[in-house]
Amino acid sequence: MKVNMVTSRERILKAVKANQPNFVSFADINIPQSTEDLPNKFALALRNVGGNFVELDHLQEVENYINENFKQGGRVLSSIPELLKFNGLDVIDTDPHSLANVELAVLRADIAVAENGACWLPEVNTLQRVLPFIAQHLILLVSIKAFVPTMHQAYEIIGRDAYGYGVFIAGPSKTADIEQSLVLGAHGPRSMTVCLVNEWAT
Amino acid sequence: MKDHSELSAIFNADEQRVNWHDETLWWIRQKRDKAVKTLPEWELLRENASQIKQHTLSNLSAYLEQFEAKALANGVKVHWAANAAEHNEIVLSILKRNGINRMVKSKSMLTEECHLNTFLENNGIEVIDSDLGERIVQLAKEPPSHIVLPCIHKKKEEIGELFHEHLGTPVGEADPQVLTEAARQDLRNVFLTRRAALTGVNFAVAETGEMVICTNEGNADMGAHLADVHIASMGIEKLVPQRRHLGVFLRLLARSATGQPITTYSSHLRTPRSGQQMHIILVDNGRSQQLGRESFRNSLKCIRCGACMNTCPVYRKSGGHSYQYTISGPIGSILAPNLDMKKHADLPFASTLCGSCTNVCPVKIDIHNQLYQWRQELVSAGYVDAKKKWGMKAMSFLFAHPSLFSWAGKVGRRLMTAAPYLFNNKLNPWYNQREMPSAAKQSFREWYKQRAKNES
């Protein structure tokens, strides 16, 4: 038996090697991008994909913003230590199913991409991987240093970061599968707000 | 078995519906154009993406080994499947080993290609598709008709009926908002109760062993991050060399697919979360063979955006189901004959060769050229209807004999004028859905000769 045991791995690799064309290299492109007015460009792109954009001066104003814009009494979790009232650090090691009743997640995004309204969250910013998806609403806080023009610059910053998980999020969860009618809140958050916190030394 | 043109004729019987289908897809094509025009560097991105894929294919065996080594080091279990049957067996064995008989699945055209759902159901495993469009066609017991928009062929009233039957929405309820909310509630419960989740893969990075999954709904993440076992199925052509190359592809993918600047979620999964099992199945199923077909290997660059379908005049007016292959439209018509030339011999002919697909392809696959190439191969391999073959032979004989051509033209013009009923009848397939033109009084050559005479 053993003599003829060629694994699929060997078979596939052998076939690929035999059939792949001659080696060709390629040159990476470098497209110069304007870095002007990035927060406004970002806000426009985000609104176009159904997200909200607000500017606050201090972290202290975040709590007021939440009180004014979200229903009271719901479960709110945040990964930002300064937001004491919503501290969610103790959910990091719990069963992710226990997050099913989260009304609002308030998380930090490291990068905000002006061309498409996408925000980058590495795993450490999420408390739990499922949190930015399972929460009914999502707020992402960014500092002024987070803005980049395009995805190319975003990946330059991400570099070789050894995250276990990371996600770009652009707007609320959505679908247009029924006759191309856009509906917000497919499986994930029904709303997504990016808060630029002007005086935030992160 | 009916072929593409016979199934298209059935689809075309309902004229209003065809027009609706046509216009909906064209609207998406227009959204794509609008998104593309905002980027002056669009052509540069396409060219670069095409070159990155060309390079990756030229070094694919090494990149596959690099990806495997990195994924293993990341704590991911890597499986290799030579064909669909082996892929399905691997999924089943993972589920059995974990004592799981219910699974939630996000969009994966590869699992459609492998007919995984049917296989698992026959083995006592319940599978629920979580992408809304896929859930709808699953409830309707149909395959997806489009790789990005699985139920683009369905009217909201039909979806309302399905939801009334399966999800208990009120009779006659057809509001997309209400129907989506019903599916959200139903599927949330599914996400929270399934211990295994299967997802597709949009891109995999050789350098880091990570995979990227793009959705708008967030369903892949809901499934994967709640499940004890995450299985990701990917074709071996999904690799890119380095993480930064994702920047190029993520800029192209959603703009080409739906006109969005990026999908809502672009998730990068490198390691399993603590306590979770993560499996990646690398599937060949004909891809290494296609890599060896010089004329068609470019088709392996495809990133499954669906732009070629949305723009295709034949797809828009015949519907995805008429192709009888998981991936319909122009790109599917290149991929399908690789797997089964005889069964899919009709598909490369389901094209006008207008080249619109090639123009919109974000990775610059020369789609219409490959369709034309397939026609040559299929005819010489004897897989084409004898009528078509003899028709072509007769035409080529005619074109090769100018005096015969000129005589036939003259006879044809006279007959069309004198006896139009010879042409305007059901025996002439051109007469279906068309008015025949009135015959010209003279041929171009006659007109040209006369003009030269008049001027001299």
mmCIF file of all heavy atoms in Angstrom, chain A residues 131-161:
data_model
loop_
_atom_site.group_PDB
_atom_site.id
_atom_site.type_symbol
_atom_site.label_atom_id
_atom_site.label_comp_id
_atom_site.label_asym_id
_atom_site.label_seq_id
_atom_site.Cartn_x
_atom_site.Cartn_y
_atom_site.Cartn_z
ATOM 1 N N LEU A 131 -16.958 41.244 18.461
ATOM 2 C CA LEU A 131 -17.656 42.421 19.010
ATOM 3 C C LEU A 131 -18.063 43.461 17.957
ATOM 4 O O LEU A 131 -19.208 43.923 17.965
ATOM 5 C CB LEU A 131 -16.829 43.053 20.139
ATOM 6 C CG LEU A 131 -17.504 44.228 20.854
ATOM 7 C CD1 LEU A 131 -18.841 43.816 21.472
ATOM 8 C CD2 LEU A 131 -16.586 44.828 21.918
ATOM 9 N N PRO A 132 -17.164 43.854 17.038
ATOM 10 C CA PRO A 132 -17.583 44.874 16.056
ATOM 11 C C PRO A 132 -18.686 44.389 15.116
ATOM 12 O O PRO A 132 -19.236 45.169 14.344
ATOM 13 C CB PRO A 132 -16.319 45.160 15.248
ATOM 14 C CG PRO A 132 -15.203 44.433 15.894
ATOM 15 C CD PRO A 132 -15.761 43.433 16.855
ATOM 16 N N PHE A 133 -19.029 43.099 15.174
ATOM 17 C CA PHE A 133 -20.060 42.538 14.294
ATOM 18 C C PHE A 133 -21.357 42.275 15.044
ATOM 19 O O PHE A 133 -22.438 42.482 14.542
ATOM 20 C CB PHE A 133 -19.558 41.231 13.661
ATOM 21 C CG PHE A 133 -18.301 41.437 12.860
ATOM 22 C CD1 PHE A 133 -17.043 41.319 13.453
ATOM 23 C CD2 PHE A 133 -18.377 41.792 11.530
ATOM 24 C CE1 PHE A 133 -15.891 41.545 12.715
ATOM 25 C CE2 PHE A 133 -17.227 42.021 10.789
ATOM 26 C CZ PHE A 133 -15.979 41.896 11.385
ATOM 27 N N ILE A 134 -21.222 41.804 16.281
ATOM 28 C CA ILE A 134 -22.404 41.345 17.015
ATOM 29 C C ILE A 134 -23.139 42.501 17.687
ATOM 30 O O ILE A 134 -24.331 42.407 17.976
ATOM 31 C CB ILE A 134 -21.997 40.250 18.040
ATOM 32 C CG1 ILE A 134 -23.187 39.329 18.344
ATOM 33 C CG2 ILE A 134 -21.395 40.854 19.302
ATOM 34 C CD1 ILE A 134 -22.789 38.057 19.085
ATOM 35 N N ALA A 135 -22.427 43.633 17.914
ATOM 36 C CA ALA A 135 -23.063 44.794 18.544
ATOM 37 C C ALA A 135 -24.115 45.385 17.604
ATOM 38 O O ALA A 135 -23.959 45.355 16.390
ATOM 39 C CB ALA A 135 -22.013 45.845 18.872
ATOM 40 N N GLN A 136 -25.193 45.930 18.173
ATOM 41 C CA GLN A 136 -26.251 46.524 17.338
ATOM 42 C C GLN A 136 -25.783 47.827 16.695
ATOM 43 O O GLN A 136 -26.254 48.205 15.621
ATOM 44 C CB GLN A 136 -27.506 46.791 18.185
ATOM 45 C CG GLN A 136 -28.170 45.542 18.758
ATOM 46 C CD GLN A 136 -28.828 44.677 17.698
ATOM 47 O OE1 GLN A 136 -29.292 45.164 16.674
ATOM 48 N NE2 GLN A 136 -28.857 43.372 17.934
ATOM 49 N N HIS A 137 -24.871 48.524 17.391
ATOM 50 C CA HIS A 137 -24.334 49.777 16.849
ATOM 51 C C HIS A 137 -22.837 49.840 17.146
ATOM 52 O O HIS A 137 -22.361 49.240 18.111
ATOM 53 C CB HIS A 137 -25.044 50.989 17.467
ATOM 54 C CG HIS A 137 -26.520 50.999 17.197
ATOM 55 N ND1 HIS A 137 -27.066 51.532 16.052
ATOM 56 C CD2 HIS A 137 -27.558 50.496 17.919
ATOM 57 C CE1 HIS A 137 -28.383 51.369 16.077
ATOM 58 N NE2 HIS A 137 -28.711 50.738 17.201
ATOM 59 N N LEU A 138 -22.128 50.580 16.328
ATOM 60 C CA LEU A 138 -20.672 50.643 16.467
ATOM 61 C C LEU A 138 -20.189 52.090 16.378
ATOM 62 O O LEU A 138 -20.602 52.835 15.484
ATOM 63 C CB LEU A 138 -20.028 49.804 15.347
ATOM 64 C CG LEU A 138 -18.502 49.745 15.295
ATOM 65 C CD1 LEU A 138 -17.927 49.058 16.538
ATOM 66 C CD2 LEU A 138 -18.036 49.001 14.028
ATOM 67 N N ILE A 139 -19.341 52.462 17.348
ATOM 68 C CA ILE A 139 -18.652 53.757 17.265
ATOM 69 C C ILE A 139 -17.159 53.473 17.216
ATOM 70 O O ILE A 139 -16.643 52.696 18.031
ATOM 71 C CB ILE A 139 -18.961 54.654 18.487
ATOM 72 C CG1 ILE A 139 -20.436 55.055 18.499
ATOM 73 C CG2 ILE A 139 -18.075 55.893 18.486
ATOM 74 C CD1 ILE A 139 -20.808 55.957 19.677
ATOM 75 N N LEU A 140 -16.481 54.064 16.260
ATOM 76 C CA LEU A 140 -15.028 53.939 16.202
ATOM 77 C C LEU A 140 -14.414 55.315 16.460
ATOM 78 O O LEU A 140 -14.817 56.310 15.851
ATOM 79 C CB LEU A 140 -14.585 53.415 14.834
ATOM 80 C CG LEU A 140 -15.096 52.018 14.448
ATOM 81 C CD1 LEU A 140 -14.591 51.625 13.062
ATOM 82 C CD2 LEU A 140 -14.668 50.967 15.482
ATOM 83 N N LEU A 141 -13.474 55.371 17.407
ATOM 84 C CA LEU A 141 -12.806 56.630 17.718
ATOM 85 C C LEU A 141 -11.462 56.675 17.000
ATOM 86 O O LEU A 141 -10.712 55.703 17.012
ATOM 87 C CB LEU A 141 -12.573 56.748 19.226
ATOM 88 C CG LEU A 141 -13.803 56.603 20.128
ATOM 89 C CD1 LEU A 141 -13.404 56.824 21.599
ATOM 90 C CD2 LEU A 141 -14.883 57.598 19.730
ATOM 91 N N VAL A 142 -11.199 57.808 16.373
ATOM 92 C CA VAL A 142 -9.900 57.962 15.714
ATOM 93 C C VAL A 142 -9.267 59.288 16.119
ATOM 94 O O VAL A 142 -9.964 60.250 16.446
ATOM 95 C CB VAL A 142 -10.019 57.915 14.169
ATOM 96 C CG1 VAL A 142 -10.535 56.562 13.691
ATOM 97 C CG2 VAL A 142 -10.891 59.043 13.641
ATOM 98 N N SER A 143 -7.941 59.328 16.096
ATOM 99 C CA SER A 143 -7.245 60.587 16.324
ATOM 100 C C SER A 143 -6.897 61.182 14.970
ATOM 101 O O SER A 143 -6.995 60.513 13.939
ATOM 102 C CB SER A 143 -5.973 60.354 17.143
ATOM 103 O OG SER A 143 -4.949 59.865 16.300
ATOM 104 N N ILE A 144 -6.487 62.430 14.984
ATOM 105 C CA ILE A 144 -6.194 63.121 13.722
ATOM 106 C C ILE A 144 -5.025 62.457 12.989
ATOM 107 O O ILE A 144 -4.898 62.558 11.769
ATOM 108 C CB ILE A 144 -5.919 64.633 13.993
ATOM 109 C CG1 ILE A 144 -5.853 65.437 12.692
ATOM 110 C CG2 ILE A 144 -4.666 64.843 14.818
ATOM 111 C CD1 ILE A 144 -7.186 65.608 12.013
ATOM 112 N N LYS A 145 -4.214 61.729 13.742
ATOM 113 C CA LYS A 145 -3.057 61.081 13.113
ATOM 114 C C LYS A 145 -3.425 59.811 12.341
ATOM 115 O O LYS A 145 -2.606 59.227 11.656
ATOM 116 C CB LYS A 145 -2.023 60.707 14.195
ATOM 117 C CG LYS A 145 -1.265 61.910 14.735
ATOM 118 C CD LYS A 145 -0.240 61.496 15.776
ATOM 119 C CE LYS A 145 -0.930 61.183 17.103
ATOM 120 N NZ LYS A 145 0.025 60.857 18.192
ATOM 121 N N ALA A 146 -4.681 59.408 12.449
ATOM 122 C CA ALA A 146 -5.076 58.130 11.856
ATOM 123 C C ALA A 146 -5.300 58.196 10.341
ATOM 124 O O ALA A 146 -5.306 57.179 9.674
ATOM 125 C CB ALA A 146 -6.358 57.626 12.526
ATOM 126 N N PHE A 147 -5.474 59.402 9.796
ATOM 127 C CA PHE A 147 -5.930 59.508 8.408
ATOM 128 C C PHE A 147 -4.822 59.272 7.379
ATOM 129 O O PHE A 147 -3.722 59.809 7.499
ATOM 130 C CB PHE A 147 -6.588 60.869 8.164
ATOM 131 C CG PHE A 147 -7.853 61.024 8.948
ATOM 132 C CD1 PHE A 147 -7.844 61.597 10.215
ATOM 133 C CD2 PHE A 147 -9.056 60.561 8.429
ATOM 134 C CE1 PHE A 147 -9.007 61.722 10.953
ATOM 135 C CE2 PHE A 147 -10.228 60.683 9.160
ATOM 136 C CZ PHE A 147 -10.211 61.258 10.427
ATOM 137 N N VAL A 148 -5.142 58.470 6.390
ATOM 138 C CA VAL A 148 -4.240 58.242 5.256
ATOM 139 C C VAL A 148 -5.078 58.369 3.977
ATOM 140 O O VAL A 148 -6.293 58.197 4.013
ATOM 141 C CB VAL A 148 -3.574 56.843 5.292
ATOM 142 C CG1 VAL A 148 -2.678 56.682 6.504
ATOM 143 C CG2 VAL A 148 -4.631 55.731 5.238
ATOM 144 N N PRO A 149 -4.420 58.681 2.840
ATOM 145 C CA PRO A 149 -5.207 58.865 1.613
ATOM 146 C C PRO A 149 -5.826 57.570 1.077
ATOM 147 O O PRO A 149 -7.019 57.531 0.791
ATOM 148 C CB PRO A 149 -4.198 59.429 0.602
ATOM 149 C CG PRO A 149 -2.993 59.824 1.365
ATOM 150 C CD PRO A 149 -3.000 59.060 2.652
ATOM 151 N N THR A 150 -5.019 56.512 0.905
ATOM 152 C CA THR A 150 -5.545 55.304 0.248
ATOM 153 C C THR A 150 -5.101 54.034 0.976
ATOM 154 O O THR A 150 -4.333 54.077 1.940
ATOM 155 C CB THR A 150 -5.056 55.179 -1.218
ATOM 156 O OG1 THR A 150 -3.682 54.809 -1.211
ATOM 157 C CG2 THR A 150 -5.234 56.459 -2.002
ATOM 158 N N MET A 151 -5.547 52.908 0.475
ATOM 159 C CA MET A 151 -5.209 51.603 1.041
ATOM 160 C C MET A 151 -3.698 51.343 1.014
ATOM 161 O O MET A 151 -3.164 50.647 1.874
ATOM 162 C CB MET A 151 -5.932 50.485 0.282
ATOM 163 C CG MET A 151 -7.443 50.524 0.390
ATOM 164 S SD MET A 151 -8.044 50.344 2.085
ATOM 165 C CE MET A 151 -7.803 48.594 2.343
ATOM 166 N N HIS A 152 -3.016 51.892 0.011
ATOM 167 C CA HIS A 152 -1.560 51.663 -0.068
ATOM 168 C C HIS A 152 -0.859 52.180 1.186
ATOM 169 O O HIS A 152 -0.033 51.511 1.789
ATOM 170 C CB HIS A 152 -0.962 52.352 -1.292
ATOM 171 C CG HIS A 152 -1.596 51.958 -2.586
ATOM 172 N ND1 HIS A 152 -1.600 50.663 -3.042
ATOM 173 C CD2 HIS A 152 -2.269 52.697 -3.513
ATOM 174 C CE1 HIS A 152 -2.241 50.627 -4.209
ATOM 175 N NE2 HIS A 152 -2.663 51.835 -4.504
ATOM 176 N N GLN A 153 -1.233 53.410 1.597
ATOM 177 C CA GLN A 153 -0.614 53.992 2.794
ATOM 178 C C GLN A 153 -1.050 53.231 4.047
ATOM 179 O O GLN A 153 -0.273 53.084 4.989
ATOM 180 C CB GLN A 153 -0.973 55.478 2.923
ATOM 181 C CG GLN A 153 -0.333 56.384 1.866
ATOM 182 C CD GLN A 153 -1.033 56.281 0.515
ATOM 183 O OE1 GLN A 153 -2.250 56.079 0.439
ATOM 184 N NE2 GLN A 153 -0.264 56.387 -0.558
ATOM 185 N N ALA A 154 -2.290 52.743 4.032
ATOM 186 C CA ALA A 154 -2.766 51.968 5.188
ATOM 187 C C ALA A 154 -1.883 50.737 5.384
ATOM 188 O O ALA A 154 -1.443 50.441 6.500
ATOM 189 C CB ALA A 154 -4.226 51.561 4.983
ATOM 190 N N TYR A 155 -1.604 50.014 4.305
ATOM 191 C CA TYR A 155 -0.781 48.812 4.435
ATOM 192 C C TYR A 155 0.668 49.154 4.760
ATOM 193 O O TYR A 155 1.364 48.361 5.391
ATOM 194 C CB TYR A 155 -0.888 47.936 3.184
ATOM 195 C CG TYR A 155 -2.136 47.086 3.198
ATOM 196 C CD1 TYR A 155 -3.222 47.386 2.389
ATOM 197 C CD2 TYR A 155 -2.242 45.991 4.060
ATOM 198 C CE1 TYR A 155 -4.374 46.614 2.430
ATOM 199 C CE2 TYR A 155 -3.389 45.211 4.103
ATOM 200 C CZ TYR A 155 -4.456 45.522 3.287
ATOM 201 O OH TYR A 155 -5.593 44.757 3.328
ATOM 202 N N GLU A 156 1.145 50.346 4.355
ATOM 203 C CA GLU A 156 2.495 50.750 4.768
ATOM 204 C C GLU A 156 2.563 50.868 6.286
ATOM 205 O O GLU A 156 3.536 50.457 6.911
ATOM 206 C CB GLU A 156 2.870 52.104 4.147
ATOM 207 C CG GLU A 156 3.512 51.969 2.781
ATOM 208 C CD GLU A 156 3.603 53.314 2.069
ATOM 209 O OE1 GLU A 156 3.816 54.347 2.757
ATOM 210 O OE2 GLU A 156 3.435 53.326 0.833
ATOM 211 N N ILE A 157 1.507 51.425 6.872
ATOM 212 C CA ILE A 157 1.489 51.577 8.333
ATOM 213 C C ILE A 157 1.331 50.212 9.016
ATOM 214 O O ILE A 157 2.009 49.909 9.987
ATOM 215 C CB ILE A 157 0.347 52.538 8.759
ATOM 216 C CG1 ILE A 157 0.658 53.947 8.256
ATOM 217 C CG2 ILE A 157 0.177 52.537 10.275
ATOM 218 C CD1 ILE A 157 -0.471 54.929 8.439
ATOM 219 N N ILE A 158 0.448 49.397 8.491
ATOM 220 C CA ILE A 158 0.236 48.063 9.088
ATOM 221 C C ILE A 158 1.537 47.258 9.025
ATOM 222 O O ILE A 158 1.913 46.574 9.983
ATOM 223 C CB ILE A 158 -0.905 47.308 8.351
ATOM 224 C CG1 ILE A 158 -2.238 48.020 8.582
ATOM 225 C CG2 ILE A 158 -0.996 45.862 8.841
ATOM 226 C CD1 ILE A 158 -3.370 47.536 7.683
ATOM 227 N N GLY A 159 2.230 47.388 7.908
ATOM 228 C CA GLY A 159 3.555 46.774 7.781
ATOM 229 C C GLY A 159 3.537 45.295 8.075
ATOM 230 O O GLY A 159 2.732 44.546 7.533
ATOM 231 N N ARG A 160 4.420 44.885 8.962
ATOM 232 C CA ARG A 160 4.522 43.464 9.285
ATOM 233 C C ARG A 160 3.919 43.147 10.655
ATOM 234 O O ARG A 160 4.296 42.167 11.302
ATOM 235 C CB ARG A 160 5.993 43.034 9.248
ATOM 236 C CG ARG A 160 6.531 43.083 7.846
ATOM 237 C CD ARG A 160 8.019 42.796 7.777
ATOM 238 N NE ARG A 160 8.465 42.892 6.389
ATOM 239 C CZ ARG A 160 8.427 41.888 5.513
ATOM 240 N NH1 ARG A 160 7.994 40.711 5.879
ATOM 241 N NH2 ARG A 160 8.853 42.064 4.288
ATOM 242 N N ASP A 161 3.005 43.982 11.103
ATOM 243 C CA ASP A 161 2.344 43.772 12.394
ATOM 244 C C ASP A 161 1.852 42.320 12.510
ATOM 245 O O ASP A 161 1.225 41.784 11.607
ATOM 246 C CB ASP A 161 1.147 44.735 12.499
ATOM 247 C CG ASP A 161 0.451 44.624 13.849
ATOM 248 O OD1 ASP A 161 1.077 44.079 14.785
ATOM 249 O OD2 ASP A 161 -0.707 45.062 13.969
#
